[in-house]
Amino acid sequence: SVVARDGAGDTALHLACDTELALPTVHEIVLAAKQHNPQSLGEAVEALNIAGEGVLHRACAKRQGEVAQMLIEAGARSDARSSAGDTAMHIASREGLEHIATMLLDLSDPRALNAGNIAGETPLHLAMSANTSKHARIARMLLARGAFAFGRTRSGETVMHACAREGNVQLASLILSRPRTSETVEALNAKANNGGTPLHVAVTHSQEEMVKLLLLQEGIDRGVSDNEGNTPILTACARG
């Protein structure tokens, strides 16, 4: 049965995504289910295993872009959540899977752009949390499609905190070069739950170019204190 499970809760479709012949294997399983039990196919493409991972999540995690597209065409929802609240787009953004991200953006509901997982992270947060060219291209695609640049995670961090941590000057500059709004200034000085602003984070992680970029911004608060009473200057002094 296409919905039968092993001890880990994986279906045949989950397991097929792990193989070198994932595409023809998944095609065969989907075709057989369509012919003999279409209702079971709908259940199978939405099935979560014990770890809370869906078949589409598995395909994306295994970098199986064509398989992911086939699953969506077979009825898998691109906005389906894992037990961690991740959509397929979260996985593609976290792992820097540019081809899969492009495919998902073309097929997904635009509202999924700003979906937060359990940690409150959107795909944009995840794409900006790694300083590679692949992640940068995904972040640019997300922004071009209308991703909200100033959302917060459960820890209170914005994408500017992520950029500051990674020293992602180019992407931070992209956001800051947009028409200045009150949201831009708020994001510059946004405090995470520990009271740290992007400037605190850049100083803490010795991201000198990011510090320079932030200090050049109109409205930046150089004297803001975190929850321990440390300003960015005090943080820098403490680090030597």
Side-chain angles (χ1 to χ4, degrees), residues 149-152 158-161 175-176 181-191 197-199 214 220:
F150 303 118
R152 290 180 181 254
T158 67
V159 294
M160 292 301 297
H161 286 87
I175 291 174
L176 294 172
T181 66
S182 60
E183 289 178 329
T184 310
V185 177
E186 182 180 348
L188 274 174
N189 299 311
K191 287 190 171 187
T197 66
L199 185 56
L214 291 170
I220 189 74

CSV table of all heavy atoms in Angstrom, one decimal, residues 149-152 158-161 175-176 181-191 197-199 214 220:
chain,number,residue,atom,x,y,z
A,149,ALA,N,10.4,42.2,4.9
A,149,ALA,CA,11.8,42.2,5.3
A,149,ALA,C,12.0,42.5,6.8
A,149,ALA,O,13.1,42.4,7.3
A,149,ALA,CB,12.6,43.3,4.5
A,150,PHE,N,10.9,42.8,7.5
A,150,PHE,CA,11.1,43.3,8.9
A,150,PHE,C,10.3,42.4,9.9
A,150,PHE,O,10.0,42.9,11.0
A,150,PHE,CB,10.6,44.7,9.0
A,150,PHE,CG,11.3,45.6,8.0
A,150,PHE,CD1,10.7,46.3,7.1
A,150,PHE,CD2,12.7,45.8,8.1
A,150,PHE,CE1,11.3,47.2,6.2
A,150,PHE,CE2,13.4,46.6,7.2
A,150,PHE,CZ,12.7,47.3,6.3
A,151,GLY,N,10.0,41.2,9.6
A,151,GLY,CA,9.4,40.3,10.6
A,151,GLY,C,10.4,39.9,11.6
A,151,GLY,O,11.6,40.0,11.5
A,152,ARG,N,9.8,39.3,12.7
A,152,ARG,CA,10.6,38.9,13.9
A,152,ARG,C,10.5,37.4,14.2
A,152,ARG,O,9.4,36.9,14.0
A,152,ARG,CB,10.3,39.7,15.1
A,152,ARG,CG,10.7,41.2,15.1
A,152,ARG,CD,10.3,41.8,16.4
A,152,ARG,NE,10.6,43.2,16.4
A,152,ARG,CZ,11.6,43.8,17.1
A,152,ARG,NH1,12.4,43.0,17.8
A,152,ARG,NH2,11.9,45.1,17.1
A,158,THR,N,15.3,40.2,13.8
A,158,THR,CA,14.9,40.5,12.5
A,158,THR,C,15.9,40.0,11.5
A,158,THR,O,17.0,39.5,11.9
A,158,THR,CB,14.8,42.0,12.3
A,158,THR,OG1,16.1,42.6,12.4
A,158,THR,CG2,13.9,42.7,13.4
A,159,VAL,N,15.6,40.2,10.2
A,159,VAL,CA,16.6,39.7,9.2
A,159,VAL,C,17.9,40.6,9.4
A,159,VAL,O,19.0,40.1,9.0
A,159,VAL,CB,16.1,39.8,7.8
A,159,VAL,CG1,15.0,38.8,7.6
A,159,VAL,CG2,15.6,41.2,7.5
A,160,MET,N,17.8,41.8,9.9
A,160,MET,CA,19.0,42.6,10.1
A,160,MET,C,19.9,42.0,11.1
A,160,MET,O,21.1,42.1,11.0
A,160,MET,CB,18.6,44.0,10.5
A,160,MET,CG,17.9,44.8,9.4
A,160,MET,SD,18.9,45.0,7.9
A,160,MET,CE,20.3,45.9,8.5
A,161,HIS,N,19.3,41.4,12.2
A,161,HIS,CA,20.2,40.7,13.1
A,161,HIS,C,20.9,39.5,12.4
A,161,HIS,O,22.1,39.3,12.7
A,161,HIS,CB,19.3,40.1,14.3
A,161,HIS,CG,18.8,41.1,15.2
A,161,HIS,ND1,17.6,41.8,15.0
A,161,HIS,CD2,19.2,41.5,16.4
A,161,HIS,CE1,17.4,42.6,16.1
A,161,HIS,NE2,18.4,42.4,16.9
A,175,ILE,N,18.4,45.8,1.6
A,175,ILE,CA,17.2,46.2,2.4
A,175,ILE,C,17.2,47.6,2.7
A,175,ILE,O,16.2,48.4,2.6
A,175,ILE,CB,17.1,45.3,3.6
A,175,ILE,CG1,16.8,43.8,3.3
A,175,ILE,CG2,16.1,45.8,4.6
A,175,ILE,CD1,16.8,42.9,4.4
A,176,LEU,N,18.4,48.1,3.1
A,176,LEU,CA,18.5,49.5,3.6
A,176,LEU,C,18.5,50.5,2.4
A,176,LEU,O,18.2,51.7,2.6
A,176,LEU,CB,19.8,49.7,4.3
A,176,LEU,CG,19.9,48.9,5.6
A,176,LEU,CD1,21.3,49.0,6.2
A,176,LEU,CD2,18.9,49.4,6.6
A,181,THR,N,11.5,54.0,5.4
A,181,THR,CA,10.2,54.1,6.1
A,181,THR,C,10.4,54.0,7.6
A,181,THR,O,11.6,53.7,8.0
A,181,THR,CB,9.2,52.9,5.7
A,181,THR,OG1,9.8,51.7,6.1
A,181,THR,CG2,9.1,52.9,4.1
A,182,SER,N,9.4,54.1,8.3
A,182,SER,CA,9.5,54.0,9.8
A,182,SER,C,9.9,52.6,10.1
A,182,SER,O,10.6,52.3,11.1
A,182,SER,CB,8.2,54.4,10.5
A,182,SER,OG,7.1,53.5,10.0
A,183,GLU,N,9.5,51.6,9.3
A,183,GLU,CA,9.9,50.2,9.6
A,183,GLU,C,11.4,50.0,9.4
A,183,GLU,O,12.0,49.2,10.1
A,183,GLU,CB,9.1,49.3,8.6
A,183,GLU,CG,7.6,49.2,8.9
A,183,GLU,CD,6.9,48.3,8.0
A,183,GLU,OE1,7.3,48.2,6.8
A,183,GLU,OE2,5.9,47.6,8.4
A,184,THR,N,12.0,50.7,8.4
A,184,THR,CA,13.4,50.6,8.2
A,184,THR,C,14.2,51.0,9.5
A,184,THR,O,15.1,50.4,10.0
A,184,THR,CB,13.9,51.4,7.0
A,184,THR,OG1,13.0,51.1,5.9
A,184,THR,CG2,15.3,51.1,6.7
A,185,VAL,N,13.8,52.2,10.0
A,185,VAL,CA,14.5,52.7,11.2
A,185,VAL,C,14.2,51.8,12.4
A,185,VAL,O,15.1,51.5,13.2
A,185,VAL,CB,14.0,54.2,11.5
A,185,VAL,CG1,14.6,54.7,12.8
A,185,VAL,CG2,14.3,55.1,10.3
A,186,GLU,N,13.0,51.3,12.5
A,186,GLU,CA,12.7,50.4,13.6
A,186,GLU,C,13.5,49.1,13.5
A,186,GLU,O,14.0,48.6,14.5
A,186,GLU,CB,11.2,50.0,13.6
A,186,GLU,CG,10.8,49.1,14.7
A,186,GLU,CD,9.3,48.8,14.6
A,186,GLU,OE1,8.6,49.4,13.9
A,186,GLU,OE2,8.9,47.8,15.4
A,187,ALA,N,13.7,48.6,12.3
A,187,ALA,CA,14.5,47.4,12.1
A,187,ALA,C,16.0,47.6,12.4
A,187,ALA,O,16.7,46.8,13.0
A,187,ALA,CB,14.4,46.9,10.7
A,188,LEU,N,16.5,48.8,12.1
A,188,LEU,CA,17.9,49.2,12.4
A,188,LEU,C,18.1,49.1,13.9
A,188,LEU,O,19.2,48.6,14.4
A,188,LEU,CB,18.2,50.6,12.0
A,188,LEU,CG,18.6,50.9,10.6
A,188,LEU,CD1,18.7,52.4,10.3
A,188,LEU,CD2,19.9,50.2,10.3
A,189,ASN,N,17.2,49.5,14.7
A,189,ASN,CA,17.3,49.6,16.2
A,189,ASN,C,16.5,48.5,16.9
A,189,ASN,O,16.4,48.6,18.1
A,189,ASN,CB,17.0,51.0,16.7
A,189,ASN,CG,17.9,52.0,16.1
A,189,ASN,OD1,19.1,51.9,16.1
A,189,ASN,ND2,17.2,53.1,15.6
A,190,ALA,N,16.0,47.5,16.2
A,190,ALA,CA,15.2,46.5,16.8
A,190,ALA,C,15.9,45.7,17.9
A,190,ALA,O,17.1,45.3,17.6
A,190,ALA,CB,14.6,45.6,15.7
A,191,LYS,N,15.3,45.5,19.0
A,191,LYS,CA,15.9,44.8,20.1
A,191,LYS,C,15.3,43.3,20.0
A,191,LYS,O,14.1,43.1,20.0
A,191,LYS,CB,15.6,45.4,21.4
A,191,LYS,CG,16.3,46.7,21.7
A,191,LYS,CD,16.2,47.1,23.2
A,191,LYS,CE,17.1,48.2,23.5
A,191,LYS,NZ,17.0,48.5,25.0
A,197,THR,N,20.6,44.8,19.6
A,197,THR,CA,20.2,45.3,18.3
A,197,THR,C,21.1,44.7,17.2
A,197,THR,O,22.1,44.1,17.6
A,197,THR,CB,20.3,46.8,18.3
A,197,THR,OG1,21.7,47.2,18.4
A,197,THR,CG2,19.5,47.5,19.4
A,198,PRO,N,20.8,44.9,16.0
A,198,PRO,CA,21.8,44.5,14.9
A,198,PRO,C,23.2,45.0,15.1
A,198,PRO,O,24.2,44.3,14.9
A,198,PRO,CB,21.1,45.0,13.6
A,198,PRO,CG,19.7,45.0,13.9
A,198,PRO,CD,19.6,45.4,15.4
A,199,LEU,N,23.3,46.2,15.6
A,199,LEU,CA,24.6,46.8,15.9
A,199,LEU,C,25.3,46.0,17.0
A,199,LEU,O,26.6,45.7,16.9
A,199,LEU,CB,24.5,48.3,16.2
A,199,LEU,CG,25.8,49.0,16.4
A,199,LEU,CD1,26.7,48.9,15.2
A,199,LEU,CD2,25.6,50.5,16.7
A,214,LEU,N,26.1,49.9,9.3
A,214,LEU,CA,25.0,50.3,10.3
A,214,LEU,C,25.3,51.7,10.8
A,214,LEU,O,24.3,52.5,11.0
A,214,LEU,CB,24.9,49.3,11.4
A,214,LEU,CG,24.4,47.9,11.0
A,214,LEU,CD1,24.6,46.9,12.2
A,214,LEU,CD2,23.0,48.0,10.6
A,220,ILE,N,20.3,55.4,13.2
A,220,ILE,CA,20.9,54.4,14.0
A,220,ILE,C,21.1,54.9,15.4
A,220,ILE,O,21.6,56.0,15.6
A,220,ILE,CB,22.2,53.9,13.4
A,220,ILE,CG1,22.7,52.6,14.1
A,220,ILE,CG2,23.2,54.9,13.4
A,220,ILE,CD1,21.9,51.4,13.8
